[in-house]
Amino acid sequence: MKTTTRVAVIGGGVVGASVLYHLTKLGWSDVMLIERSELTSGSTWHAAGGFHTLNGDTNMAALQGYTIKLYKELEEITGMSCGLHHVGGVTLADNQDRFDMLVAERAKHRYMGLETEIVGPEEIAKIAPITNLDGIIGALYDPLDGHLDPSGTTHAYAKAARMGGATIETHCKVVETNQRPDGTWDVVTEKGTIHAEHVVNAAGLWAREVGAMAGIYTPLHPMEHQYIVTDDIPEIYERDSEHPHVMDPAGESYLRQEGRGLCIGFYEKPCKPWAVDGTPWEFGHELLPDDLDKVEASIEFAYNRFPVLATAGVKSVIHGPFTFAPDGNPLVGPVPGVRNYWSACGVMAGFSQGGGVGLMLAQWMIEGECERDVTALDVARYGKWITPGYTRPKVIENYQNRFSVSYPNEELPAARPHRTTPMYDIFSDLGAVWGHQFGLEVANYFAQDGDPGYETPTFRRSDAWNATAREVAAVRGGVGINEVQNFGKFSVTGADARAWLDRIMAGRIPQPGRMSLTPMLSPKGQLWGDFTVSCLSDTEFQLTASYGAQEVHHRWFLQNASDDCIVENISDKRTGFQIAGPKSRDLLRACTPDDVDGIKFLDVRRMTIGQVACIVQRVSYTGDLGYEIYCDPMDQRQLWWTLWNAGQPMGIAPFGMRAMMSLRLDRFFGSWLSEFSPDYTAAETGMDRFISFKKNVDFIGRAAAEAERATPPARTFVSFEVDADDADVVAYEPVFIDGEVRGFCTSGGYSHHAGKSVALALVPREHATGTLEAEIEIMGQRRRAVQITTPLFDPDGSAMRG
């Protein structure tokens, strides 16, 4: 057995094999896979082997498309069969909401190049004739749907990896992973110790146990999953062609042909988590005892939807575990705070996603970044706050909702509230209707008499409409207040703080008492952050950005650390409020003896507000006159009562995130992971106006930014007013220009201040003339859209800056 390797991949399922292959494909040949038993042991060998492209996250859908197309390439490379069956498939809709979801997904597919289509009952009857169409409105047809041989595919990955120089060691259980002072690893196995530069945890069912060897908690949990294979069915084996897949979300089932019969699996509500106390090491090629009682209701529903099942005998029952992360997406990438340790876990749809996961991880390791935004699968999307007690109920919830309608405004309830600020009870008493971000409860809106205390999930304008409109009016007409807890916040201190920030950030680093806006770029020029930098002194800075991206950003800061600079994540150590609106200056004056009139736009001050020591900076995401006021969390309630009581004569009102996201549209302000994300560059989104090309610093991403400055990118960011009806743009709706899909929306919504539906989009630069007329598909209908270039509020910036 080899005793040294560049990368040690732990786990020989389809994901580990894919990672190994992609490392060799991208040029690293000194790589090794270590498997405790045989390849496919664990979840891979008993998987149903289905694959599809449908996914609510467009980047995940694209990676699934890559995975599916990769299989033919694997067969050509290795001469082995993956047992491919490209039979196509339909996802049924039995109610309007489910149909709306499929229509919205089809719209996204238009610019992604996926050839899906919406079909009606007559077409469904031709595609999947065994389906009882009672109550069916329509379906989404995907010609790429299919299934394969799990074992053959895994071994094809393995052979391709070996052809690229990789080594595979089976029957080699890992018992310890110990990090050396230089950041490399000793992987201790039953056959000896392997010294590796990098470790990849692709251990599947045992990922929790393998992570724990390095002191890492991996937030996933195995769930029991069951599918049935029937005896021969004449309606199946007498067909001229193989029957396509049918996903029946109402029945929580998926169905495909298996030989001369059918295979049908279930995501039942009365589901069961498995191995709560840990996965047994001796488990591997076993199945769990049959448990048809828990899927009894699902089977009854399936017999009605597919009547041929009722007369077919059961040939076999496959009941085995596989792993979920709390949101159902994989856990991939460098583990924050642990050098050279990588995750490739929680890939519950391994034959839909495994290829994409392998590609992204290999790019990350070898090139330092991925070709697309991987936020949806980044292991850093969970922070140190996550625990098994949180993970398990969220995994159960995700399993139960695997086939449920996913709404853009839906807030799932399991394991909540988990993290709250000192304002939780005060805001709840004021009628707060809560959402959540990165485990934190965040007020979406404040319900008053007649407003719903629960926002009904929908694809159309929600019943939070009146409350949102009221809060927007309160800000624009007087003064509103909300929390700034849901900003990621960092303290940067030390003699090298300014020099370090100049290298990390592309923009200008401000002088003491001032703040600036700046993008943070990847080496290839992609957007890795949208930051506010506040200079408190020559050696002390505060950074603010997305709360949900704090672990992603902190990981990057640590990877680029300086010995003479201390970077601390203070996201939960500094909190406070934003006050915004034309009366916000009057409110601040009423709460402090310090000079308020002298605070200019983008100024930063240490001030005493009432009894509380605060950092006050003049800026507001609402686009209005406004201030962000930061304090110690222990002081937050005292600060609240000071501001709240002083604001009563001014009509002060709390506002939530629904209003905030409407207010920002008035000024066409972008939002992180909507307009600004690793999918885009600064020049594409207009963030290049904040890049300081004058500073004599080779900041990260400078060469790429300079290249785009010389040759502008092909697409650019524009704003539209849309002739919408009862639904507004959410994200990724296609933009038709001259009858062809030429762009897509990044976000949108309704401006309650202007009374207009607004869409923000990326379109070809040559079309962004300022007078562009286009069409945007919303809920299956093309809506007229006209480019707007003048902000809908404060067009000259006098309110914000004056």
Side-chain angles (χ1 to χ4, degrees), residues 28-109:
W28 282 10
S29 58
D30 181 18
V31 295
M32 182 177 187
L33 186 147
I34 309 164
E35 165 55 43
R36 51 174 283 284
S37 181
E38 296 281 356
L39 293 181
T40 76
S41 295
S43 297
T44 295
W45 78 272
H46 63 70
F51 53 78
H52 59 272
T53 58
L54 183 62
N55 191 295
D57 183 277
T58 54
N59 279 301
M60 287 302 303
L63 291 177
Q64 289 175 194
Y66 165 81
T67 300
I68 294 167
K69 294 173 183 177
L70 175 65
Y71 292 133
K72 288 185 179 179
E73 178 183 323
L74 276 178
E75 290 183 330
E76 292 171 359
I77 291 171
T78 65
M80 298 177 66
S81 171
C82 293
L84 292 177
H85 297 256
H86 277 289
V87 296
V90 290
T91 301
L92 305 175
D94 67 330
N95 61 49
Q96 190 60 48
D97 278 4
R98 204 179 303 280
F99 188 69
D100 285 349
M101 182 182 77
L102 297 181
V103 168
E105 290 304 310
R106 168 64 186 114
K108 295 178 187 179
H109 296 164

Side-chain angles (χ1 to χ4, degrees), residues 215-390:
I216 297 165
Y217 171 59
T218 305
L220 53 77
H221 197 91
M223 296 293 293
E224 297 182 3
H225 183 68
Q226 202 161 203
Y227 65 90
I228 295 168
V229 177
T230 74
D231 287 327
D232 295 357
I233 299 174
E235 290 87 345
I236 296 300
Y237 66 72
E238 290 177 355
R239 285 173 53 88
D240 293 334
S241 60
E242 188 171 355
H243 196 281
H245 288 206
V246 184
M247 275 62 69
D248 183 22
E252 303 159 349
S253 71
Y254 58 88
L255 174 146
R256 67 168 176 82
Q257 184 169 339
E258 175 69 18
R260 290 162 60 90
L262 290 169
C263 164
I264 183 165
F266 308 99
Y267 284 90
E268 68 285 355
K269 298 294 187 209
C271 57
K272 293 182 181 179
W274 182 74
V276 171
D277 297 322
T279 303
W281 285 108
E282 64 274 12
F283 188 84
H285 278 277
E286 298 84 4
L287 289 173
L288 306 178
D290 297 351
D291 188 0
L292 296 178
D293 288 345
K294 71 174 180 175
V295 295
E296 182 178 2
S298 298
I299 291 174
E300 182 178 353
F301 196 100
Y303 280 15
N304 180 60
R305 178 71 74 211
F306 310 105
V308 297
L309 291 171
T311 57
V314 174
K315 179 184 293 185
S316 59
V317 178
I318 310 298
H319 190 204
F322 66 121
T323 56
F324 274 84
D327 61 2
N329 278 341
L331 298 166
V332 180
V335 174
V338 188
R339 186 177 171 191
N340 293 347
Y341 195 100
W342 303 78
S343 177
C345 308
V347 190
M348 53 77 54
F351 293 98
S352 289
Q353 301 172 345
V357 165
L359 176 65
M360 292 301 100
L361 191 66
Q363 289 180 349
W364 219 331
M365 296 179 75
I366 296 171
E367 300 172 9
E369 58 184 291
C370 304
E371 66 185 49
R372 62 177 61 252
D373 179 12
V374 290
T375 299
L377 50 78
D378 193 337
V379 66
R381 69 186 184 275
Y382 296 107
K384 296 179 178 64
W385 50 268
I386 198 167
T387 66
Y390 176 93

Side-chain angles (χ1 to χ4, degrees), residues 660-715:
M660 175 74 85
M661 298 308 283
S662 175
L663 290 160
R664 62 106 183 180
L665 291 175
D666 296 340
R667 296 279 306 172
F668 314 146
F669 287 169
S671 175
W672 183 246
L673 296 185
S674 294
E675 286 64 50
F676 311 134
S677 88
D679 276 334
Y680 316 131
T681 67
E684 287 178 321
T685 60
M687 284 293 285
D688 56 334
R689 69 186 185 277
F690 297 115
I691 293 178
S692 177
F693 290 104
K694 293 181 180 179
K695 66 180 183 180
N696 188 27
V697 178
D698 186 21
F699 57 82
I700 295 173
R702 177 158 195 157
E706 293 276 13
E708 282 203 320
R709 189 184 187 195
T711 306
R715 58 187 183 180

Side-chain angles (χ1 to χ4, degrees), residues 629-668:
I629 307 171
Y630 296 91
C631 68
D632 188 294
M634 294 293 287
D635 296 328
Q636 188 183 19
R637 290 168 73 97
Q638 176 60 237
L639 177 60
W640 163 261
W641 289 118
T642 296
L643 294 167
W644 184 249
N645 291 333
Q648 292 307 303
M650 305 170 196
I652 190 171
F655 68 102
M657 288 306 297
R658 296 286 185 259
M660 175 74 85
M661 298 308 283
S662 175
L663 290 160
R664 62 106 183 180
L665 291 175
D666 296 340
R667 296 279 306 172
F668 314 146

